[in-house]
Amino acid sequence: MSAQNYLAYDYPLLSAFWTMLVFFLWILWFVLLFRIIVDIFRDDDMNGWAKAGWTLFVVVLPFLGVFVYLIARGKGMGKREMAEARARQEALDSYVRQTAQSGEARPSHADELGKLSEMRSRGDITDDEFRRAKELVLTGTGPARPSDTVPTASGR
């Protein structure tokens, strides 16, 4: 019998299940350890010595440190995470509102050129005035609405 066949007989399905379970719990524990370390440094209520003490406790005695931290500060850990998520959501909402408002207040170059083209086709401005206003829009040196400052042939 070869070594590969022998290994297949020596490692039954239940052993594979227990190996996967232990591996999953090991990964889960590492995730929990890193979340606790992040929470230690996220907490603004603790001073530097308390943070150093908890970090040392969690690193030197990892299993005991993680369990004691979860018992002593687990409830606050969830509250701090919720507060951070709420702050991130508020920051995103305010950014979206600012971006949406600034998009409405300032028309794009294509919109301005379209308005100028309509004014020229109606005869409100001459071809020379259209050319000068178009240059102002494309160079970005003109006002937000060049039609406000461009003199028209009809005096408007």
Side-chain angles (χ1 to χ4, degrees):
M1 202 180 255
S2 69
Q4 290 178 342
N5 289 340
Y6 184 70
L7 181 62
Y9 289 117
D10 195 33
Y11 206 69
L13 185 61
L14 187 60
S15 293
F17 169 75
W18 284 113
T19 301
M20 288 189 308
L21 181 67
V22 168
F23 184 71
F24 172 75
L25 292 174
W26 184 67
I27 297 294
L28 182 69
W29 180 80
F30 268 111
V31 168
L32 187 59
L33 176 70
F34 289 121
R35 286 192 58 163
I36 287 175
I37 290 173
V38 166
D39 185 65
I40 289 171
F41 289 101
R42 179 186 298 156
D43 190 7
D44 292 332
D45 295 336
M46 278 198 291
N47 63 15
W49 288 106
K51 289 180 183 185
W54 274 111
T55 304
L56 190 65
F57 186 42
V58 167
V59 170
V60 171
L61 298 171
F63 288 108
L64 183 63
V66 165
F67 293 132
V68 169
Y69 188 86
L70 286 177
I71 291 169
R73 301 183 49 86
K75 191 174 187 178
M77 192 172 165
K79 289 179 182 177
R80 283 185 291 280
E81 189 151 345
M82 289 298 294
E84 182 182 348
R86 199 173 301 117
R88 284 184 183 179
Q89 185 65 40
E90 288 172 4
L92 176 69
D93 291 344
S94 69
Y95 172 74
V96 168
R97 275 194 293 283
Q98 281 180 337
T99 305
Q101 288 174 353
S102 67
E104 292 172 2
R106 187 172 187 175
S108 68
H109 293 309
D111 293 335
E112 292 178 3
L113 289 174
K115 288 177 186 176
L116 285 172
S117 178
E118 285 178 26
M119 291 172 66
R120 183 180 68 175
S121 65
R122 285 190 313 232
D124 291 342
I125 59 174
T126 64
D127 288 337
D128 188 44
E129 291 170 334
F130 173 76
R131 184 185 48 76
R132 283 186 285 153
K134 179 178 155 186
E135 287 176 10
L136 287 174
V137 169
L138 293 177
T139 59
T141 58
R145 297 178 57 194
S147 60
D148 291 344
T149 58
V150 174
T152 61
S154 61
R156 285 188 246 167

